Amino acid sequence: MDVSNSSEVDVIRLLIVDDDDVDRERLRRMLSKSDIETLVSEASSLEDSMNFLKGGEFDCVIVDYRLGINSGLALLNSIRTTLENRCAVIMVTGLGDEEVAAEAMRLGASDYLLKNQLQSPQLIRAVISAVHRAELEKKLHDMAHYDSLTGLASRPLLLKHLQKAIVDKEPSAVAFLDLDNFKPVNDNYGHDIGDFVLVTIADRLKQIIRTNDTLSRIGGDEFVLLLRGVANEEQCVTFLNLLLEVVNRPIELEEFESFVQVSASIGVTLVSNDSLDADTVVRRADQTMYQAKNLGRNNIVFFDPEEERRLHERRVMLQAAERGVVRHEFELHYQPQIDMVNHRLKGVEALIRWNHPSKGFLYPGDFTEALEHPNTGIVIGEWVLEEALRQLAIWDRDDLVVSVNIAPAHLLSNGFVPQLERLLKNMPNINPKSLEIEILETVSMADIHSAVEVVKACCELGVRVALDDFGTGYSSLNYLKKLPLDTLKIDKSFIQNILSNQDDRAIVACVAELSQAFKYDLIAEGVESFDHMQSLIEIGCHLGQGYYIARPMSADKMTQWIDQYNKGPQLH
C-alpha cells in the first residue's frame, strides 16, 4: 500500500489497544475526521490484541502504555518477536517519561504521543507516517530476505530458519538442488526465457512443499529446501522423488512453439546433533549435490560423513604435498633398464618417494591423488623434472637415458612445454635425448589431440617419448598411430604371467612385433626372475626392468650400482 500521498491511500487497517473505553472511543473519533478510510478494531488487553494480530493483518497498532496489569511495552515486544509480518506501532500515554519513550522506540514503536496533547491532525499524520515507514522497512526486509525473481526465500532467511531448527534440535533435512541442462536454455533462448523457466520451476515447487518448510533460491539455478520434522533418509526420499518428477515435466515456450525440459541433481544432509552451524550444513548439502551430478545427474545423494572425512584427508594430503616440495621432503629413486641380451645399461627410470614428516616413507601409490591433481601434481611434476635433470648432469654419461613419468594433468597443462624448454636451456651440458618422458596410455582419448601436439613439441626439443603401461587401455593402436614415440613399455601385468598364461605370452609377442614394425624400443616392466628374462628374450623383447635386475634405489646407490654393473652385471 502506497501511503506517500494521503489522498491516494487505500483503507488503513488499524487496531486500537487500550483498557479504557473512553480513550478508545476518543481515538476512534480522531481517526474518523480524516479523509483516509480506516477499518478500526479494538482490544482492551494484551491477550485480546495478540489474538487480533495473529488472526489477521493490520497496518498499524495504536497502543496505550498502561494496559491493565501489563505494559504496552510487552505488546511491542510480542509484536517484534513473535509476528512474522510486522506492522507499524504507535504508543500513546499520559506520561511524559523520556525513558519510557526511548524503550518504546527501541522495541520498534514508530512514534510516541502524549494523550493530553493529542489532536486529530497529529494522530492522523503519525499514522500515515508510521504506515509509510513500515512499508519501506518491509520492502527493505523483503529485498534482503527474498529472491526478487521467484519470491522465494533468499540465503539469509534460509540460514535463519535452519539455525533455529539446529538450536531447537528439531529433526530436519536440507536438500540442495541444482538444475541440470539449464545453461543450454539460456544459450539457445536467451536469459528472459531462462528466468521464465526458473520462475516456473519455483512455482511448481511452491505447490508441493509443506507450510512449515522453507524453499529458497540462493543464486542462478540453485534452490535449497529446508524440510522440517524429517529424521531419516526414508522420510526424505518419497518427497524428493516427487520433487524430481515435478522439475522434469516439460515447460512450454509459447513464443517459440516448443518445450524445454530440465532435470535436477540433489544433495541432502540431515541436521544432526553435532553442534554444526547452518552454513556448514548447507555446505555439506552443496558438496553432496556435486556427487549427485557426477553420477549422471537427476540423482539424489545423501551426505556421507565418511566421504567428508576422505575429502578432508585429501585436502590435508594435497596441502602437505605442496609444503613437502618446499621443505625438500621428496626424493627420487632410480631403477635401471638394461639390454638383457648384451647386458648393457640403457637407462634408469626416476621414481618419486616422499619422506612424510608423520607417515614415514611413502610410495607413489600412497599419494596418487597428489600426483594426479591438476595443481599439486604440476608442482610435484616440475620438481621431478628438475631433480632428474640435475642428477643426470651429475652422472654426466652420454649413454644414459633418464625416464620421468609425467601425469596427464601435467602433460596437458599450458606451461608444460615452455617449462621443459627452460629447464633444458638452464642445463646446456645435458643432451635432450638423455631425457625420456613417460606418458600413460590411460590419458583420455578425448585429450589425444592435445597430447599429440605436446608430444610433437617435446620431440622438437630433442626429448625422447615413451608410452607407459602399454596394453592396459583400450586405445593402444590409436596411440601408436597418432603419437610420435620412441619407446613402448609393456605393463608388468602381462609380464608376470607369461610363464603360465599363453594368452599373455601371445600378447607380449604381438607387442614385440608391433614395436619392431614401428621401430620402437620395447621395455618389459616387472622382470622378476631369470625365467621371465629368458622368455622375454625368446619372444623378442630385449630391454627390461624389474626386481630381478634391481630394485629402485637412491641416487647415491644408483651411482654405485652403475659402477658395479659396468664391471660385470650381477643380476638377482
Side-chain angles (χ1 to χ4, degrees), residues 169-452:
K169 297 184 179 180
E170 179 183 5
S172 305
V174 173
F176 197 110
L177 181 154
D178 184 87
L179 297 182
D180 305 322
N181 307 314
F182 179 71
K183 186 176 181 299
V185 175
N186 274 332
D187 292 344
N188 296 332
Y189 298 99
H191 288 280
D192 287 344
I193 295 298
D195 287 348
F196 170 73
V197 170
L198 290 174
V199 171
T200 302
I201 295 294
D203 289 343
R204 290 178 179 179
L205 298 180
K206 288 177 189 176
Q207 293 173 8
I208 64 171
I209 65 168
R210 302 170 303 176
T211 55
N212 61 334
D213 294 334
T214 301
L215 176 62
S216 65
R217 175 177 175 246
I218 62 173
D221 57 350
E222 295 177 333
F223 299 83
V224 179
L225 180 60
L226 169 60
L227 299 169
R228 294 179 179 273
V230 174
N232 53 57
E233 294 183 9
E234 289 74 18
Q235 292 177 314
C236 289
V237 169
T238 300
F239 174 78
L240 293 177
N241 280 326
L242 172 62
L243 186 148
L244 283 180
E245 180 184 324
V246 166
V247 171
N248 275 264
R249 292 174 189 163
I251 299 172
E252 184 178 5
L253 306 180
E254 293 182 359
E255 179 183 350
F256 294 91
E257 297 182 349
S258 63
F259 290 83
V260 294
Q261 186 174 17
V262 295
S263 57
S265 298
I266 304 177
V268 189
T269 184
L270 298 176
V271 177
S272 57
N273 295 322
D274 51 5
S275 301
L276 293 176
D277 59 274
D279 271 313
T280 301
V281 174
V282 172
R283 176 182 57 78
R284 283 181 166 182
D286 185 8
Q287 292 175 345
T288 308
M289 177 274 295
Y290 282 102
Q291 296 176 34
K293 201 171 279 288
N294 290 335
L295 287 176
R297 307 187 177 193
N298 209 40
N299 283 299
I300 302 168
V301 174
F302 285 83
F303 169 75
D304 178 6
E306 183 62 23
E307 178 65 20
E308 185 178 57
R309 185 191 64 78
R310 288 192 293 268
L311 289 173
H312 174 72
E313 289 182 351
R314 180 174 181 267
R315 286 194 297 271
V316 170
M317 185 265 292
L318 293 176
Q319 293 168 357
E322 293 195 22
R323 287 196 302 270
V325 173
V326 176
R327 296 175 181 177
H328 308 291
E329 294 171 2
F330 289 97
E331 64 177 288
L332 292 184
H333 282 201
Y334 299 88
Q335 187 174 32
Q337 300 167 332
I338 67 167
D339 183 329
M340 297 179 291
V341 175
N342 300 316
H343 301 292
R344 180 177 59 83
L345 180 65
K346 176 190 179 296
V348 295
E349 181 180 0
L351 300 165
I352 191 169
R353 304 289 186 260
W354 186 0
N355 293 298
H356 194 283
S358 61
K359 296 182 179 180
F361 195 72
L362 300 182
Y363 291 87
D366 299 320
F367 52 99
T368 302
E369 286 188 315
L371 296 174
E372 296 178 352
H373 190 268
N375 296 319
T376 307
I378 292 174
V379 172
I380 298 174
E382 290 181 348
W383 175 84
V384 170
L385 275 171
E386 186 172 1
E387 177 64 15
L389 288 173
R390 187 190 66 81
Q391 185 59 49
L392 191 58
I394 293 174
W395 280 325
D396 191 23
R397 294 175 59 99
D398 292 336
D399 60 342
L400 185 67
V401 175
V402 173
S403 298
V404 177
N405 294 283
I406 305 297
H410 189 193
L411 179 76
L412 299 176
S413 63
N414 291 332
F416 178 76
V417 174
Q419 175 66 7
L420 179 60
E421 186 175 12
R422 282 192 294 270
L423 286 174
L424 292 171
K425 285 183 178 179
N426 290 337
M427 298 182 178
N429 295 330
I430 292 179
N431 184 344
K433 288 193 174 298
S434 296
L435 174 66
E436 183 170 73
I437 62 171
E438 294 188 13
I439 62 176
L440 294 172
E441 184 190 342
T442 48
V443 173
S444 170
M445 279 304 293
D447 299 319
I448 185 63
H449 298 297
S450 300
V452 167

Side-chain angles (χ1 to χ4, degrees), residues 18-29 115:
D18 197 316
D19 61 349
D20 190 310
D21 296 344
V22 175
D23 284 347
R24 291 201 306 274
E25 180 59 30
R26 180 168 172 255
L27 290 171
R28 183 187 282 273
R29 285 200 309 270
K115 284 185 177 181

